[in-house]
Amino acid sequence: MTINYSEKIPNNVDLANDKTLQRALEHWQPRFLDWWREMGPNDFASSDVYLRTAIGVDAQGWAHYGTVKMPDYRWGIFLADPVPGRTVGFGDSFGQPAWQQVPGEFRSQFRRLIVTQGDTEPASVEQQHRLGHTCPSLYDLRNLFQVNVEEGRHLWAMVYLLHAYFGRDGREEAEELLARHSGDVDKPRILGTFNEPIEDWLSFFCFTYFTDRDGKFQLKSLAESSFDPLARTCRFMLTEEAHHMFVGETGLGRIVKRTLEVMKEIGSDDPAAIRRQGAVDLQLLQRYLNFWFSSSLDLFGSEVSSNAASTFANGIKGRPDETTQYQDHVCADSSCELEMPDGRGGLKKETVGMRNAMNEVLRDAYIKDCEIGLKRWNMQIKRAGRGLELKLPSRRFRRAIGAWTNIPTDTEGRPIPREEFDRCLPEWIPSAADKNYVKSLMQRVVEPGKMAAWIAPPERGVNNLPVDYEYVRSY
Ligand code: BYC
């Protein structure tokens, strides 16, 4: 299916033949642009940015590169091609034909998930609103803007579903997606992590590593949905999401690389000495990892969740790679064992019905995926002959959602007294002094090819261009 760029809203859903939907979306479009101008990277509205735009939804047609001013980016509605004869892949309706419409009895559950997914997209653009002013290089500035425009498109993806399949409620929800704002006291974004400020690039790279990876797992679960338009929408979004995680993984890897170079230059791994050279000591990086990983773990919801059980049973939300990774797609009788707090400062094992534990199944897969980057960075550290190892904290550490909410544990997940937790927390997550130091590093570098002192250059540029290409002009 080709994307029609001759229309006001580029799409591959034949919008031209659905005048009512087209009018509704054309009514929403100026509101989106107002929001982008107010809450997006608005100080860079006149910059020329080297961006990729989707021109087709298959692997080859994906990326077209060109120089664009961000407000002129062609946000649109792109669904992956349908799979002929697709059937429901899990839950109580397993094996029946996939749905082209939302069944009435599941309408509010679908709407809630689509709204929650949609809410994260503009939230992240709002969180990253001012980062352009402190970019460590033009290459990174361009990557930030690529991420921003694609999150804007992901918002379009969810708004399309709301408009096309949820009538008036859907249109109202689409308006609300532009009315809530990250960190707003009265109208915050729905999920906790999306209200956390991202004020520096270390946080940005952690966010794209950890939080966008939650996006990968949630989108993969929704890509299994029996509601085919949602599944197809998410399948295409996943191709964009991959770049966001690449930005996080390579960004953090480049920070580690630079720190190791500095350690070698000065012949020391003393954090104070490393900071005197304007680099990020690995202990500081560890505290950032602890913060963003623990916050992102909350995005999977409670360990035991009746919401998760019913979205699975009803065929609304499956598990990532449901078809290829699992034998039992119904999970009506199976169970699993979880380690839970015993209410007396210890642990107990609890047997939970599999459907109720679906959030934990996703969290398990997510944690494994997060470990891959850590292994790679630790290899770099080991090769440089340094003893330190970066680690993911325990899944029980600093949780604000689920069974471990407000249960004080150390980073290994051992329950500890509240006083000890309060005393140690500033050593486990970035302290005010850490944040001030990181802030002092955030000086804008915009000479083509030049990098800030705390990050190594990337191994290659974008789309085979050299690293010193002028990826953003007139910033
Ligand atoms: N913060 O049974 P529970 C992405 C709420 S990221 C605040 O525990 P459930 C992206 C929950 O909403 C992917 N509230 O959990 C990344 C519920 O509230 P209501 C985003 C939370 O429902 C970077 C209550 O607690 N996509 O794409 O099984 C940049 C009890 O819920 C939190 C999705 O999340 C939290 N962390 O699962 C840009 C997919 N966690 O309804 C984009 C859609 C839970 O009782 N969402 N609550 O008022 C879902 O699948 C589910 O809603 C959740 C929660 C997995 C989030």
Side-chain angles (χ1 to χ4, degrees), residues 88-381:
V88 173
F90 61 93
D92 292 339
S93 307
F94 181 69
Q96 292 174 18
W99 314 322
Q100 298 309 321
Q101 292 294 330
V102 179
E105 65 272 36
F106 305 146
R107 204 179 146 84
S108 68
Q109 277 182 313
F110 267 116
R111 197 184 56 214
R112 176 177 153 272
L113 291 194
I114 292 170
V115 166
T116 308
Q117 177 65 51
D119 191 72
T120 63
E121 315 292 359
S124 67
V125 176
E126 292 169 357
Q127 286 170 293
Q128 296 158 18
H129 171 61
R130 296 195 56 78
L131 281 182
H133 290 290
T134 56
C135 61
S137 73
L138 280 186
Y139 166 88
D140 290 291
L141 185 62
R142 176 262 166 212
N143 279 348
L144 166 72
F145 293 156
Q146 183 72 56
V147 168
N148 288 166
V149 293
E150 286 175 356
E151 300 299 11
R153 208 206 64 72
H154 289 185
L155 170 61
W156 269 96
M158 292 301 122
V159 164
Y160 161 70
L161 294 172
L162 289 170
H163 274 246
Y165 297 95
F166 293 87
R168 178 203 274 255
D169 304 356
R171 290 194 293 278
E172 284 171 8
E173 293 284 13
E175 299 286 318
E176 285 297 298
L177 288 172
L178 299 176
R180 286 185 291 271
H181 297 307
S182 177
D184 192 301
V185 189
D186 300 316
K187 274 187 161 246
R189 290 296 176 182
I190 297 170
L191 300 175
T193 313
F194 294 89
N195 290 302
E196 295 289 355
I198 301 182
E199 283 163 350
D200 58 69
W201 281 73
L202 203 39
S203 297
F204 172 66
F205 290 132
C206 286
F207 181 90
T208 41
Y209 187 77
F210 290 116
T211 311
D212 275 279
R213 195 171 306 272
D214 168 52
K216 166 181 166 182
F217 281 84
Q218 299 296 345
L219 290 173
K220 270 177 165 264
S221 315
L222 294 173
E224 300 290 334
S225 182
S226 316
F227 175 39
D228 206 41
L230 173 62
R232 290 171 55 206
T233 302
C234 292
R235 258 171 47 217
F236 184 67
M237 288 165 76
L238 277 162
T239 60
E240 291 162 321
E241 201 68 42
H243 172 254
H244 307 183
M245 286 179 296
F246 164 85
V247 168
E249 177 162 353
T250 53
L252 292 172
R254 288 161 55 209
I255 295 176
V256 171
K257 185 173 178 202
R258 178 66 194 136
T259 303
L260 294 169
E261 283 168 7
V262 167
M263 284 177 176
K264 194 170 171 200
E265 277 158 30
I266 61 173
S268 165
D269 51 15
D270 172 27
I274 292 165
R275 289 192 186 193
R276 279 196 292 279
Q277 304 302 312
V280 176
D281 48 286
L282 296 180
Q283 291 82 351
L284 173 60
L285 178 59
Q286 178 67 64
R287 291 195 281 279
Y288 271 76
L289 300 181
N290 289 348
F291 179 89
W292 286 102
F293 177 64
S294 54
S295 178
S296 302
L297 283 178
D298 278 338
L299 295 172
F300 291 86
S302 305
E303 288 74 4
V304 183
S305 165
S306 55
N307 287 342
S310 98
T311 54
F312 186 85
N314 296 339
I316 294 171
K317 182 180 171 189
R319 290 165 291 187
D321 306 307
E322 180 70 49
T323 323
T324 52
Q325 289 293 310
Y326 301 93
Q327 301 287 322
D328 174 7
H329 301 295
V330 181
C331 299
D333 310 311
S334 49
S335 59
C336 66
E337 209 172 60
L338 300 182
E339 257 183 344
M340 303 287 259
D342 67 2
R344 287 173 277 118
L347 302 171
K348 64 171 182 195
K349 299 238 188 260
E350 212 173 277
T351 303
V352 178
M354 202 63 192
R355 288 179 171 186
N356 285 289
M358 285 302 170
N359 288 342
E360 203 56 13
V361 171
L362 256 69
R363 195 164 14 237
D364 278 342
Y366 167 79
I367 293 173
K368 276 205 195 93
D369 209 46
C370 285
E371 273 162 359
I372 295 172
L374 274 280
K375 277 204 192 102
R376 200 163 292 156
W377 307 324
N378 282 330
M379 197 85 98
Q380 276 174 260
I381 298 171

